[in-house]
Amino acid sequence: EFFSHATPIDVLEQSKIGSRPARRTGKRSLNDLRSIPWVFSWNQSRYNLTGWFGTGQALKQFENEHPNDFENLKREAKDWAFLKYALIQIESNLLNADTTIMKRFADLTPSQQVGENLLKLLKSDYESGIEQINKLLGASHEQRRISRMEDIKNRKNSLYMLHDMQISLLKEWRALKESESEQNENLLLDLLLVVNVLAGGLKSTG
């Protein structure tokens, strides 16, 4: 329920940008969904969770239960290139996420309780992920990734404008989705255009 409403997956299913349909057999279930639209839709709504979800909780629990080993992991993060690279890639997904936009999409979920509960879970892990990677890499991301933070800042207002447009169009289109009116078709075309523009602005489809 959350995924179906808090991401534009229903719009992506109407696109013609892949070599195969979004779903294997056409069933509306997570098992039937292909990986590309799964990742793409989470990124469009600025969750990016396929690149980080679970990391914060895992590292936090590891630090609490094995503090000495966590200190060893800090040292490995400095000396082991692969581990440092992996942490930076996870962190990049965290930095490209946006909790303000995440909440706005979560508010599209029909059940307020479902939306609030899942958003709370995701934000908790998001915050833990930022905190734990900062610990492992020895400094805050603001200090370590100045150019990335400047890039995010420069694109923020323009992306927010596009997200405003996307959410507004989504609400209108979903209200008319069962109809075959010309208005419905025009809204879908606008939504597909916004998907493409956002992918360019985010510099990623997932």
Side-chain angles (χ1 to χ4, degrees), residues 27-55:
K27 294 180 181 178
R28 289 199 62 79
S29 67
L30 291 182
N31 287 337
D32 202 53
L33 187 69
R34 296 188 190 276
S35 59
I36 292 174
W38 167 255
V39 176
F40 194 174
S41 54
W42 284 120
N43 286 11
Q44 280 272 308
S45 48
R46 302 299 292 277
Y47 288 90
N48 289 29
L49 62 78
T50 56
W52 57 263
F53 184 58
T55 304

mmCIF file of all heavy atoms in Angstrom, residues 27-55:
data_model
loop_
_atom_site.group_PDB
_atom_site.id
_atom_site.type_symbol
_atom_site.label_atom_id
_atom_site.label_comp_id
_atom_site.label_asym_id
_atom_site.label_seq_id
_atom_site.Cartn_x
_atom_site.Cartn_y
_atom_site.Cartn_z
ATOM 1 N N LYS A 27 0.601 -8.905 -12.700
ATOM 2 C CA LYS A 27 -0.011 -8.886 -11.368
ATOM 3 C C LYS A 27 0.517 -7.699 -10.578
ATOM 4 O O LYS A 27 1.699 -7.374 -10.643
ATOM 5 C CB LYS A 27 0.307 -10.176 -10.606
ATOM 6 C CG LYS A 27 -0.305 -11.423 -11.200
ATOM 7 C CD LYS A 27 0.080 -12.643 -10.374
ATOM 8 C CE LYS A 27 -0.502 -13.919 -10.970
ATOM 9 N NZ LYS A 27 -0.085 -15.113 -10.193
ATOM 10 N N ARG A 28 -0.363 -7.061 -9.811
ATOM 11 C CA ARG A 28 0.070 -5.921 -8.990
ATOM 12 C C ARG A 28 0.547 -6.438 -7.630
ATOM 13 O O ARG A 28 -0.167 -6.370 -6.629
ATOM 14 C CB ARG A 28 -1.061 -4.911 -8.839
ATOM 15 C CG ARG A 28 -1.344 -4.156 -10.138
ATOM 16 C CD ARG A 28 -2.104 -2.880 -9.891
ATOM 17 N NE ARG A 28 -1.362 -1.944 -9.053
ATOM 18 C CZ ARG A 28 -0.370 -1.169 -9.498
ATOM 19 N NH1 ARG A 28 0.009 -1.223 -10.746
ATOM 20 N NH2 ARG A 28 0.240 -0.345 -8.667
ATOM 21 N N SER A 29 1.751 -6.992 -7.636
ATOM 22 C CA SER A 29 2.365 -7.487 -6.403
ATOM 23 C C SER A 29 3.845 -7.169 -6.457
ATOM 24 O O SER A 29 4.425 -6.985 -7.534
ATOM 25 C CB SER A 29 2.168 -9.006 -6.264
ATOM 26 O OG SER A 29 2.904 -9.689 -7.265
ATOM 27 N N LEU A 30 4.479 -7.128 -5.293
ATOM 28 C CA LEU A 30 5.913 -6.838 -5.259
ATOM 29 C C LEU A 30 6.716 -7.964 -5.904
ATOM 30 O O LEU A 30 7.740 -7.726 -6.540
ATOM 31 C CB LEU A 30 6.370 -6.619 -3.810
ATOM 32 C CG LEU A 30 5.864 -5.346 -3.125
ATOM 33 C CD1 LEU A 30 6.438 -5.243 -1.715
ATOM 34 C CD2 LEU A 30 6.229 -4.101 -3.919
ATOM 35 N N ASN A 31 6.245 -9.203 -5.745
ATOM 36 C CA ASN A 31 6.959 -10.335 -6.337
ATOM 37 C C ASN A 31 6.986 -10.259 -7.860
ATOM 38 O O ASN A 31 7.914 -10.759 -8.495
ATOM 39 C CB ASN A 31 6.313 -11.651 -5.904
ATOM 40 C CG ASN A 31 6.598 -11.979 -4.447
ATOM 41 O OD1 ASN A 31 7.575 -11.490 -3.882
ATOM 42 N ND2 ASN A 31 5.763 -12.798 -3.845
ATOM 43 N N ASP A 32 5.972 -9.647 -8.442
ATOM 44 C CA ASP A 32 5.866 -9.588 -9.896
ATOM 45 C C ASP A 32 6.601 -8.381 -10.485
ATOM 46 O O ASP A 32 6.831 -8.318 -11.687
ATOM 47 C CB ASP A 32 4.381 -9.528 -10.304
ATOM 48 C CG ASP A 32 4.173 -9.991 -11.731
ATOM 49 O OD1 ASP A 32 4.627 -11.097 -12.067
ATOM 50 O OD2 ASP A 32 3.571 -9.229 -12.509
ATOM 51 N N LEU A 33 6.987 -7.441 -9.633
ATOM 52 C CA LEU A 33 7.621 -6.210 -10.104
ATOM 53 C C LEU A 33 9.087 -6.445 -10.437
ATOM 54 O O LEU A 33 9.805 -7.112 -9.695
ATOM 55 C CB LEU A 33 7.512 -5.132 -9.019
ATOM 56 C CG LEU A 33 7.981 -3.729 -9.377
ATOM 57 C CD1 LEU A 33 7.039 -3.090 -10.395
ATOM 58 C CD2 LEU A 33 8.050 -2.862 -8.121
ATOM 59 N N ARG A 34 9.532 -5.885 -11.536
ATOM 60 C CA ARG A 34 10.950 -6.001 -11.900
ATOM 61 C C ARG A 34 11.788 -5.017 -11.076
ATOM 62 O O ARG A 34 11.281 -4.039 -10.549
ATOM 63 C CB ARG A 34 11.130 -5.743 -13.402
ATOM 64 C CG ARG A 34 10.451 -6.766 -14.284
ATOM 65 C CD ARG A 34 10.819 -6.574 -15.743
ATOM 66 N NE ARG A 34 9.996 -7.389 -16.617
ATOM 67 C CZ ARG A 34 10.241 -8.679 -16.901
ATOM 68 N NH1 ARG A 34 11.280 -9.277 -16.355
ATOM 69 N NH2 ARG A 34 9.443 -9.341 -17.714
ATOM 70 N N SER A 35 13.089 -5.278 -11.033
ATOM 71 C CA SER A 35 13.970 -4.493 -10.155
ATOM 72 C C SER A 35 14.151 -3.045 -10.617
ATOM 73 O O SER A 35 14.263 -2.139 -9.792
ATOM 74 C CB SER A 35 15.340 -5.168 -10.039
ATOM 75 O OG SER A 35 15.940 -5.306 -11.323
ATOM 76 N N ILE A 36 14.182 -2.809 -11.941
ATOM 77 C CA ILE A 36 14.450 -1.453 -12.421
ATOM 78 C C ILE A 36 13.347 -0.471 -12.023
ATOM 79 O O ILE A 36 13.635 0.592 -11.456
ATOM 80 C CB ILE A 36 14.705 -1.439 -13.945
ATOM 81 C CG1 ILE A 36 16.035 -2.146 -14.243
ATOM 82 C CG2 ILE A 36 14.734 -0.014 -14.487
ATOM 83 C CD1 ILE A 36 16.331 -2.317 -15.724
ATOM 84 N N PRO A 37 12.064 -0.762 -12.278
ATOM 85 C CA PRO A 37 11.025 0.173 -11.817
ATOM 86 C C PRO A 37 10.942 0.273 -10.301
ATOM 87 O O PRO A 37 10.557 1.321 -9.771
ATOM 88 C CB PRO A 37 9.728 -0.393 -12.412
ATOM 89 C CG PRO A 37 10.036 -1.813 -12.756
ATOM 90 C CD PRO A 37 11.490 -1.846 -13.098
ATOM 91 N N TRP A 38 11.302 -0.794 -9.588
ATOM 92 C CA TRP A 38 11.334 -0.768 -8.116
ATOM 93 C C TRP A 38 12.316 0.296 -7.637
ATOM 94 O O TRP A 38 11.981 1.158 -6.819
ATOM 95 C CB TRP A 38 11.714 -2.152 -7.604
ATOM 96 C CG TRP A 38 12.099 -2.273 -6.165
ATOM 97 C CD1 TRP A 38 13.359 -2.439 -5.668
ATOM 98 C CD2 TRP A 38 11.218 -2.287 -5.019
ATOM 99 N NE1 TRP A 38 13.327 -2.535 -4.291
ATOM 100 C CE2 TRP A 38 12.032 -2.441 -3.872
ATOM 101 C CE3 TRP A 38 9.843 -2.155 -4.865
ATOM 102 C CZ2 TRP A 38 11.499 -2.490 -2.579
ATOM 103 C CZ3 TRP A 38 9.320 -2.203 -3.578
ATOM 104 C CH2 TRP A 38 10.142 -2.373 -2.463
ATOM 105 N N VAL A 39 13.532 0.266 -8.168
ATOM 106 C CA VAL A 39 14.560 1.226 -7.758
ATOM 107 C C VAL A 39 14.229 2.630 -8.270
ATOM 108 O O VAL A 39 14.325 3.616 -7.528
ATOM 109 C CB VAL A 39 15.949 0.777 -8.271
ATOM 110 C CG1 VAL A 39 17.005 1.828 -7.928
ATOM 111 C CG2 VAL A 39 16.335 -0.571 -7.666
ATOM 112 N N PHE A 40 13.826 2.716 -9.528
ATOM 113 C CA PHE A 40 13.537 3.998 -10.174
ATOM 114 C C PHE A 40 12.451 4.757 -9.405
ATOM 115 O O PHE A 40 12.564 5.961 -9.156
ATOM 116 C CB PHE A 40 13.086 3.721 -11.614
ATOM 117 C CG PHE A 40 13.058 4.925 -12.523
ATOM 118 C CD1 PHE A 40 12.784 4.773 -13.868
ATOM 119 C CD2 PHE A 40 13.306 6.214 -12.064
ATOM 120 C CE1 PHE A 40 12.738 5.858 -14.742
ATOM 121 C CE2 PHE A 40 13.268 7.313 -12.922
ATOM 122 C CZ PHE A 40 12.982 7.127 -14.259
ATOM 123 N N SER A 41 11.386 4.058 -9.001
ATOM 124 C CA SER A 41 10.269 4.735 -8.327
ATOM 125 C C SER A 41 10.651 5.236 -6.942
ATOM 126 O O SER A 41 10.244 6.332 -6.536
ATOM 127 C CB SER A 41 9.055 3.807 -8.248
ATOM 128 O OG SER A 41 9.388 2.581 -7.642
ATOM 129 N N TRP A 42 11.455 4.488 -6.206
ATOM 130 C CA TRP A 42 11.915 4.956 -4.892
ATOM 131 C C TRP A 42 12.801 6.194 -5.039
ATOM 132 O O TRP A 42 12.760 7.104 -4.212
ATOM 133 C CB TRP A 42 12.686 3.873 -4.159
ATOM 134 C CG TRP A 42 11.870 2.787 -3.545
ATOM 135 C CD1 TRP A 42 11.935 1.452 -3.814
ATOM 136 C CD2 TRP A 42 10.864 2.923 -2.517
ATOM 137 N NE1 TRP A 42 11.034 0.762 -3.041
ATOM 138 C CE2 TRP A 42 10.364 1.634 -2.229
ATOM 139 C CE3 TRP A 42 10.338 4.011 -1.822
ATOM 140 C CZ2 TRP A 42 9.372 1.402 -1.280
ATOM 141 C CZ3 TRP A 42 9.346 3.784 -0.876
ATOM 142 C CH2 TRP A 42 8.875 2.486 -0.606
ATOM 143 N N ASN A 43 13.604 6.222 -6.099
ATOM 144 C CA ASN A 43 14.487 7.369 -6.308
ATOM 145 C C ASN A 43 13.719 8.613 -6.741
ATOM 146 O O ASN A 43 14.068 9.734 -6.359
ATOM 147 C CB ASN A 43 15.566 7.031 -7.346
ATOM 148 C CG ASN A 43 16.636 6.109 -6.798
ATOM 149 O OD1 ASN A 43 16.475 5.552 -5.710
ATOM 150 N ND2 ASN A 43 17.701 5.924 -7.535
ATOM 151 N N GLN A 44 12.677 8.430 -7.551
ATOM 152 C CA GLN A 44 11.866 9.566 -7.983
ATOM 153 C C GLN A 44 11.225 10.275 -6.791
ATOM 154 O O GLN A 44 11.071 11.497 -6.798
ATOM 155 C CB GLN A 44 10.769 9.083 -8.939
ATOM 156 C CG GLN A 44 11.233 8.868 -10.357
ATOM 157 C CD GLN A 44 11.153 10.119 -11.207
ATOM 158 O OE1 GLN A 44 10.118 10.771 -11.283
ATOM 159 N NE2 GLN A 44 12.252 10.456 -11.865
ATOM 160 N N SER A 45 10.831 9.522 -5.779
ATOM 161 C CA SER A 45 10.198 10.118 -4.598
ATOM 162 C C SER A 45 11.209 10.408 -3.490
ATOM 163 O O SER A 45 10.830 10.662 -2.344
ATOM 164 C CB SER A 45 9.064 9.229 -4.081
ATOM 165 O OG SER A 45 9.460 7.876 -3.979
ATOM 166 N N ARG A 46 12.493 10.351 -3.844
ATOM 167 C CA ARG A 46 13.610 10.794 -3.006
ATOM 168 C C ARG A 46 13.816 9.956 -1.751
ATOM 169 O O ARG A 46 14.404 10.415 -0.762
ATOM 170 C CB ARG A 46 13.473 12.274 -2.653
ATOM 171 C CG ARG A 46 13.409 13.186 -3.845
ATOM 172 C CD ARG A 46 14.640 13.142 -4.724
ATOM 173 N NE ARG A 46 15.804 13.689 -4.064
ATOM 174 C CZ ARG A 46 16.079 14.988 -4.004
ATOM 175 N NH1 ARG A 46 15.265 15.859 -4.593
ATOM 176 N NH2 ARG A 46 17.149 15.418 -3.398
ATOM 177 N N TYR A 47 13.366 8.711 -1.794
ATOM 178 C CA TYR A 47 13.692 7.800 -0.693
ATOM 179 C C TYR A 47 15.068 7.172 -0.918
ATOM 180 O O TYR A 47 15.843 7.012 0.025
ATOM 181 C CB TYR A 47 12.646 6.686 -0.584
ATOM 182 C CG TYR A 47 11.310 7.140 -0.055
ATOM 183 C CD1 TYR A 47 10.315 7.581 -0.910
ATOM 184 C CD2 TYR A 47 11.040 7.132 1.309
ATOM 185 C CE1 TYR A 47 9.085 8.005 -0.428
ATOM 186 C CE2 TYR A 47 9.808 7.549 1.798
ATOM 187 C CZ TYR A 47 8.838 7.990 0.922
ATOM 188 O OH TYR A 47 7.624 8.412 1.404
ATOM 189 N N ASN A 48 15.344 6.773 -2.155
ATOM 190 C CA ASN A 48 16.622 6.126 -2.499
ATOM 191 C C ASN A 48 16.918 4.930 -1.601
ATOM 192 O O ASN A 48 18.069 4.552 -1.423
ATOM 193 C CB ASN A 48 17.793 7.124 -2.396
ATOM 194 C CG ASN A 48 17.798 8.165 -3.481
ATOM 195 O OD1 ASN A 48 16.739 8.538 -4.002
ATOM 196 N ND2 ASN A 48 18.947 8.680 -3.827
ATOM 197 N N LEU A 49 15.882 4.342 -1.025
ATOM 198 C CA LEU A 49 16.134 3.371 0.047
ATOM 199 C C LEU A 49 16.794 2.081 -0.426
ATOM 200 O O LEU A 49 17.392 1.352 0.374
ATOM 201 C CB LEU A 49 14.853 3.077 0.829
ATOM 202 C CG LEU A 49 13.630 2.461 0.161
ATOM 203 C CD1 LEU A 49 13.794 0.972 -0.030
ATOM 204 C CD2 LEU A 49 12.400 2.738 1.011
ATOM 205 N N THR A 50 16.728 1.787 -1.730
ATOM 206 C CA THR A 50 17.386 0.565 -2.207
ATOM 207 C C THR A 50 18.905 0.663 -2.095
ATOM 208 O O THR A 50 19.598 -0.347 -2.212
ATOM 209 C CB THR A 50 17.000 0.276 -3.669
ATOM 210 O OG1 THR A 50 17.309 1.412 -4.476
ATOM 211 C CG2 THR A 50 15.502 -0.006 -3.783
ATOM 212 N N GLY A 51 19.413 1.874 -1.872
ATOM 213 C CA GLY A 51 20.859 2.051 -1.731
ATOM 214 C C GLY A 51 21.329 2.200 -0.304
ATOM 215 O O GLY A 51 22.538 2.316 -0.067
ATOM 216 N N TRP A 52 20.393 2.184 0.675
ATOM 217 C CA TRP A 52 20.854 2.387 2.050
ATOM 218 C C TRP A 52 20.007 1.689 3.130
ATOM 219 O O TRP A 52 20.493 1.485 4.244
ATOM 220 C CB TRP A 52 20.921 3.874 2.395
ATOM 221 C CG TRP A 52 19.634 4.633 2.224
ATOM 222 C CD1 TRP A 52 19.269 5.374 1.140
ATOM 223 C CD2 TRP A 52 18.541 4.740 3.156
ATOM 224 N NE1 TRP A 52 18.017 5.929 1.334
ATOM 225 C CE2 TRP A 52 17.553 5.559 2.560
ATOM 226 C CE3 TRP A 52 18.305 4.230 4.434
ATOM 227 C CZ2 TRP A 52 16.351 5.877 3.192
ATOM 228 C CZ3 TRP A 52 17.101 4.538 5.071
ATOM 229 C CH2 TRP A 52 16.141 5.357 4.452
ATOM 230 N N PHE A 53 18.778 1.325 2.848
ATOM 231 C CA PHE A 53 17.888 0.854 3.910
ATOM 232 C C PHE A 53 18.460 -0.372 4.632
ATOM 233 O O PHE A 53 18.856 -1.344 4.007
ATOM 234 C CB PHE A 53 16.508 0.518 3.356
ATOM 235 C CG PHE A 53 15.519 0.113 4.412
ATOM 236 C CD1 PHE A 53 15.229 0.960 5.459
ATOM 237 C CD2 PHE A 53 14.908 -1.127 4.367
ATOM 238 C CE1 PHE A 53 14.322 0.584 6.447
ATOM 239 C CE2 PHE A 53 13.995 -1.509 5.339
ATOM 240 C CZ PHE A 53 13.706 -0.642 6.385
ATOM 241 N N GLY A 54 18.508 -0.293 5.930
ATOM 242 C CA GLY A 54 19.041 -1.371 6.769
ATOM 243 C C GLY A 54 20.444 -1.101 7.273
ATOM 244 O O GLY A 54 20.852 -1.640 8.307
ATOM 245 N N THR A 55 21.186 -0.255 6.567
ATOM 246 C CA THR A 55 22.579 0.017 6.941
ATOM 247 C C THR A 55 22.671 0.700 8.302
ATOM 248 O O THR A 55 23.481 0.311 9.152
ATOM 249 C CB THR A 55 23.257 0.906 5.882
ATOM 250 O OG1 THR A 55 23.162 0.280 4.611
ATOM 251 C CG2 THR A 55 24.721 1.137 6.233
#
